[in-house]
Amino acid sequence: MNEMKVGDIVTAIYKTGKYVGEVTEIRPQHYLVRVLAVVKHPMQGDLHNPKEADVLFFHERRALAYREQTNVPKQMVKPFTEETPDYTTSLRASLEKMKQELKEAGTPWAEQSLKNITSLEKDYF
């Protein structure tokens, strides 16, 4: 596994989202990563019952905010060599991609997820 350094630009998977960020601190099992862009928006609903609509509480999951820092397990961090996308543009693109996938799925979970995404879009933009 490549050891990252402070200042490296990386992709980081956090819960069900994927982000481009900057390593700001190295910890024994994690990297502290400052979010710079969104590659994949987090899935909606219950993480313990993925893609199920009939759950006790259907969670609305927000993307991590611009420059928000989070601990990411080292194995979930990889080097990023492309130009870092703009946060707002990348967030909008990740939401559009997710909405398209949800519309194609057409399941009760997808329908509930689309409602959450619509609500999140109002907050984000």
Side-chain angles (χ1 to χ4, degrees):
M1 177 168 53
N2 278 348
E3 187 69 22
M4 302 298 161
K5 302 182 307 297
V6 170
D8 283 355
I9 303 299
V10 298
T11 59
I13 296 174
Y14 179 75
K15 295 190 178 176
T16 61
K18 185 174 181 179
Y19 304 90
V20 174
E22 177 185 3
V23 174
T24 58
E25 191 176 317
I26 299 169
R27 298 179 173 170
Q29 303 295 318
H30 297 82
Y31 292 112
L32 187 62
V33 176
R34 178 183 296 130
V35 174
L36 301 174
V38 181
V39 176
K40 180 182 177 289
H41 194 280
M43 287 176 48
Q44 302 302 295
D46 185 344
L47 293 180
H48 302 291
N49 297 289
K51 298 192 176 183
E52 293 293 325
D54 190 19
V55 293
L56 189 60
F57 184 70
F58 197 92
H59 297 268
E60 179 181 88
R61 303 204 177 280
R62 298 180 64 83
L64 295 174
Y66 179 64
R67 296 186 61 80
E68 180 175 351
Q69 295 198 81
T70 189
N71 281 307
V72 182
K74 286 186 174 183
Q75 68 270 20
M76 304 304 277
V77 175
K78 306 284 184 246
F80 185 76
T81 56
E82 300 167 34
E83 186 173 326
T84 303
D86 171 72
Y87 179 84
T88 303
T89 303
S90 67
L91 175 60
R92 204 177 290 276
S94 70
L95 280 171
E96 287 304 317
K97 183 173 190 236
M98 177 174 270
K99 283 177 13 183
Q100 189 60 42
E101 291 168 356
L102 291 169
K103 287 175 186 172
E104 289 170 7
T107 64
W109 168 79
E111 290 171 20
Q112 184 62 43
S113 293
L114 278 167
K115 289 178 188 171
N116 283 11
I117 294 296
T118 301
S119 172
L120 286 170
E121 279 183 310
K122 290 175 185 167
D123 273 356
Y124 290 155
F125 311 111

